[in-house]
Amino acid sequence: MTDTTAYDYVIVGGGTAGSVIAHRLTADPGVTVAVIEGGPSDVDRPDVLTLRRWMGLLGGDLDYDYPTTEQPRGNSHIRHSRARVLGGCSSHNTLISFKPLPSDWDEWEEAGAEGWNAAAMDPYYDKLLNNIVPVDEKDRNAIARDFVDAAESALGVPRVEGFNKKPFHEGVGFFDLAYHPEDNKRSSASVAYLHPVMDERPNLHLMLETWAYRLEFDGTRATGVHVRTKDGAERLVSARREVLVCAGAVDTPRLLLHSGIGPRADLEKLGIPVVHDLPGVGENLLDHPESVIVWETNGPIPDNSAMDSDAGLFVRRDPGSRGPDLMFHFYQIPFTDNPERLGYERPAYGVSMTPNIPKPRSRGRLYLTSADPEVKPALDFRYFTDEDDYDGRTLVDGIRIAREIAGTEPLAGWLKREVCPGPEVTGDEELSEYARKVAHTVYHPAGTCRMGAADDERAVVGPDLRIRGLDGIRIADASVFPTMPAVNPMIGVLMVGEKAAELLGGGA
Ligand SMILES: Cc1cc2nc3c(=O)[nH]c(=O)nc-3n(C[C@H](O)[C@H](O)[C@H](O)COP(=O)(O)OP(=O)(O)OC[C@H]3O[C@@H](n4cnc5c(N)ncnc54)[C@H](O)[C@@H]3O)c2cc1C
């Protein structure tokens, strides 16, 4: 028997964007909001709340853990971590915090997202409640400091103290992080937006460990969400005003497709009744792929850190590029998970640089393989398939640049040998082969329900985040990104949440 309860707004996903919207809407005590969240609470969970423990969450009980399809030019073994816990991926990511660059937002507007240009979006950064601060002095490891010095002198890029202070094309330095340095506690979306209000606001209803498996429609109007609770009970949670889908770049298109919203032929092939033919759902799957180069160090390195990858580098190889076209995270650990599959060993002590592609050109696709909502969707990123091999070539350049930095003091003095790919691997072809086979993800899937202009038939939402052709339903999460920001996307997602709340009249 289906039990029904009604709220003004029903938010699917208490993750990064969903937490922001829930906070803003419930600031009005007259508005009721239900948040349907697949995972448990993060309150009193040091395993979640301690930033430096992030790696321990990958692949575990709090991870939906999505595989990729066969990647002929990439690494078919990549697992895409997606958090199953309040706060979503902001509760198990590394909380590196970059305001998207002005060129990133302007590119969105050029792609049809009217009103999402840099000048219009800037104020939403100032609204964010997260504690965004530079990596604390006590967390700045000696080898990471020497990486910054070496990159500055090897490449002549400026040293940046506070990447969010002004737009940049190039630079090296310690990141800004959303954390509380005194106890290494996350300042995730849930910590910043939900913890302070969740026991105070009777109009905020958190439905934890509850899975949304289908959207309910009356004609073209969304009226609610079918959910299954932890104990297997099924309910229809009704929305008097609107449904907000904030389940992330994988689970938002997944839910839409299971609800009959997507490319007609694909849905019919699986026997899913078509509610609304929307060809763009699941298309435009974006990510930031990265490769890795690992060195053994002469011995142990100091242990202090915020989260083991506290500094990074942006390079602009093409002066015509609107922003950086190569980015590196510096890890003060040997990150050999992928190279080990090719036979490389993991040194006892080591460091890594992970070149990644800020503006990748390959485009993938998410699709269903079964009408059973329990079956995970297929993620085909089509890594390194762009026509000119821009993506593959970028990683090759990245390995060469990483070697230049490693050969420069004061970093050079720490390093005993290059473990992988190894100094003997030097040619374009062999570097490309290595870089692609050990490629990993920076865990930034986006774009699968992209925003676009009203007359763009491949767009899934309009600039007001409403799903094209439907009423009473919007999407707000990483899936609406028309293009990938050059920087790590979480702050962009939080700003999407803030703008969505304002569009709904909940700007408080
Ligand atoms: C390991 C890792 C490291 C990262 N590091 C960084 C970083 O340092 N900096 C950065 O900028 N970005 C980083 N990212 C990316 C960033 O965290 C994400 O882009 C962003 O958090 C996505 O936000 P979202 O709101 O789209 O989705 P999410 O935050 O994933 O929220 C989706 C929520 O919906 C829930 N949900 C999904 N489906 C359902 C359903 N059917 N029913 C009920 N609930 C559902 C999920 O449990 C989740 O809570 C990282 C990501 C990962 C995984």
Side-chain angles (χ1 to χ4, degrees), residues 216-361:
E216 176 71 9
F217 287 89
D218 179 3
T220 56
R221 181 166 191 87
T223 54
V225 182
H226 291 273
V227 304
R228 192 169 294 119
T229 59
K230 195 183 172 187
D231 54 16
E234 295 190 350
R235 295 173 63 178
L236 174 63
V237 185
S238 296
R240 279 187 288 259
R241 296 194 196 169
E242 288 202 39
V243 172
L244 290 325
V245 188
C246 306
V250 174
D251 281 299
T252 286
R254 178 188 187 180
L255 179 61
L256 261 54
L257 292 166
H258 280 297
S259 306
I261 303 160
R264 175 181 292 281
D266 290 5
L267 296 172
E268 284 176 348
K269 207 159 59 189
L270 293 172
I272 298 174
V274 179
V275 169
H276 182 49
D277 180 18
L278 205 51
V281 177
E283 295 293 332
N284 191 44
L285 176 58
L286 310 169
D287 192 18
H288 278 146
E290 67 176 15
S291 193
V292 67
I293 170 164
V294 180
W295 292 267
E296 182 176 7
T297 49
N298 287 317
I301 52 181
D303 187 49
N304 63 312
S305 177
M307 52 78 183
D308 295 306
S309 167
D310 305 325
L313 162 70
F314 289 88
V315 175
R316 183 167 63 163
R317 296 159 305 151
D318 172 5
S321 168
R322 291 165 84 180
D325 57 17
L326 188 49
M327 191 259 183
F328 298 76
H329 293 80
F330 177 77
Y331 280 82
Q332 55 197 58
I333 51 171
F335 181 42
T336 50
D337 297 26
N338 288 295
E340 278 173 47
R341 232 188 348 269
L342 302 187
Y344 290 98
E345 78 211 51
R346 182 183 176 89
Y349 308 107
V351 295
S352 322
M353 288 183 219
T354 54
N356 81 66
I357 312 159
K359 291 283 183 190
R361 295 190 183 164

Side-chain angles (χ1 to χ4, degrees), residues 99-113 116-122 166-170 314 316 318-325 358-359 482-487 495:
K99 179 162 74 166
L101 297 169
S103 47
D104 293 323
W105 294 122
D106 290 344
E107 192 177 79
W108 283 27
E109 183 152 88
E110 288 154 24
W116 292 74
N117 59 60
M121 290 308 292
D122 220 38
K166 60 177 181 37
F168 57 89
H169 296 112
E170 295 199 304
F314 289 88
R316 183 167 63 163
D318 172 5
S321 168
R322 291 165 84 180
D325 57 17
K359 291 283 183 190
T483 59
M484 185 62 101
V487 292
M495 291 168 70

Side-chain angles (χ1 to χ4, degrees), residues 196-216:
V197 299
M198 57 200 270
D199 296 330
E200 318 282 319
R201 294 185 180 172
N203 55 335
L204 171 60
H205 301 263
L206 293 180
M207 301 171 66
L208 298 171
E209 302 202 68
T210 301
W211 185 250
Y213 62 91
R214 190 160 45 84
L215 300 163
E216 176 71 9

